[in-house]
Amino acid sequence: GRGIARDALKDLQGAIADNTQAIQLAPDFSPAYCNRGNARRLLGDEWGAIADYNQALKLNPGLIEAYYNRGTTRYALEDYQGAIADYTQALQINPNTATFYSDRANARYALEDYEGAIEDYNRAIAIDPTLAEDWYNRGRSRSLLGDLEGAIEDLNRALYLQPHWASAYIVSADIRHNLGDLQGAIADFQKSADLYLQEGNRQYYQQIIDLIEQLQQ
């Protein structure tokens, strides 16, 4: 418990020490391995984290947090197939968690399995329609498969949920340009430029303004 409290206070080394002590007192206590793995992962010790998740799952094959966090760690290591396997295991235990579908979709996207990614984004959105990043990522996946109209619909939804998302306006503008909607593309580029200016990012603002000027020629 003290390890959990230290983790919440961002004292990750202290959390590792306490969970290690818990393991010494009770070597078969799977949550201590999982919690220590979480702290190790946040400190950048991905392989140490995976070793802890492996031990946690050896002791308790139904520990859903260990599957999910091991999947997240594998994703960070670009082991996308391993991440998909772990997210799938988590979904077999609890098939009603949108985040599991979202993260498995991201791993499939990284492997250029855009159809598989779309299937998972569909499931995530069905559970939680407020996931702006999933609408955005599904739109990008659709665009790469040539469904530009569907991509625009998804980008519109993402921007409805997060109207100050400058980079999403750029993606939307690119798709509109590919559809031949020059004015729509310029409008989205302009919205992106305005948002970057509001953020104080004058470099990105000027780059987009220059691009707009080229499109208007």
Side-chain angles (χ1 to χ4, degrees):
R2 189 172 69 183
I4 293 172
R6 283 179 164 167
D7 183 77
L9 291 169
K10 310 301 181 186
D11 176 12
L12 300 177
Q13 293 289 1
I16 289 172
D18 276 344
N19 281 292
T20 299
Q21 183 68 17
I23 289 166
Q24 291 173 353
L25 293 167
D28 61 347
F29 186 52
S30 61
Y33 289 100
C34 190
N35 292 338
R36 189 173 69 178
N38 294 342
R40 284 177 164 170
R41 175 172 59 86
L42 292 171
L43 283 171
D45 179 13
E46 287 89 356
W47 292 111
I50 286 176
D52 277 342
Y53 297 138
N54 290 346
Q55 185 61 26
L57 290 166
K58 182 179 178 181
L59 294 167
N60 181 2
L63 191 59
I64 192 169
E65 181 185 1
Y67 283 118
Y68 176 71
N69 289 333
R70 189 174 68 179
T72 300
T73 308
R74 285 175 162 170
Y75 184 93
L77 290 169
E78 299 184 1
D79 175 12
Y80 302 123
Q81 292 288 7
I84 289 168
D86 278 339
Y87 295 142
T88 300
Q89 288 283 355
L91 284 163
Q92 288 177 355
I93 299 169
N94 182 356
N96 298 311
T97 302
T99 303
F100 298 168
Y101 288 111
S102 298
D103 289 347
R104 190 173 69 175
N106 293 339
R108 287 177 162 166
Y109 183 96
L111 290 172
E112 299 183 2
D113 176 13
Y114 304 123
E115 291 181 355
I118 288 170
E119 289 179 8
D120 277 342
Y121 290 132
N122 290 345
R123 292 170 179 166
I125 291 167
I127 296 170
D128 185 356
T130 68
L131 295 171
E133 289 190 7
D134 283 7
W135 289 100
Y136 170 78
N137 288 328
R138 190 177 73 174
R140 291 198 306 164
S141 300
R142 285 179 160 174
S143 174
L144 289 166
L145 289 175
D147 180 10
L148 300 184
E149 295 287 356
I152 283 295
E153 291 178 6
D154 282 347
L155 266 295
N156 286 344
R157 185 64 178 180
L159 287 165
Y160 171 78
L161 293 167
Q162 289 192 18
H164 302 294
W165 193 351
S167 60
Y169 278 111
I170 292 176
V171 174
S172 178
D174 284 337
I175 296 171
R176 290 185 189 279
H177 186 259
N178 289 333
L179 280 168
D181 180 9
L182 180 60
Q183 292 306 313
I186 290 172
D188 277 348
F189 278 130
Q190 186 63 58
K191 289 176 185 176
S192 177
D194 292 342
L195 288 168
Y196 280 126
L197 185 61
Q198 291 173 22
E199 294 171 6
N201 192 332
R202 295 197 64 86
Q203 179 182 355
Y204 280 13
Y205 166 78
Q206 191 59 53
Q207 288 177 354
I208 296 169
I209 291 299
D210 291 345
L211 178 59
I212 291 172
E213 290 177 354
Q214 292 176 16
L215 291 174
Q216 290 175 330
Q217 291 177 358

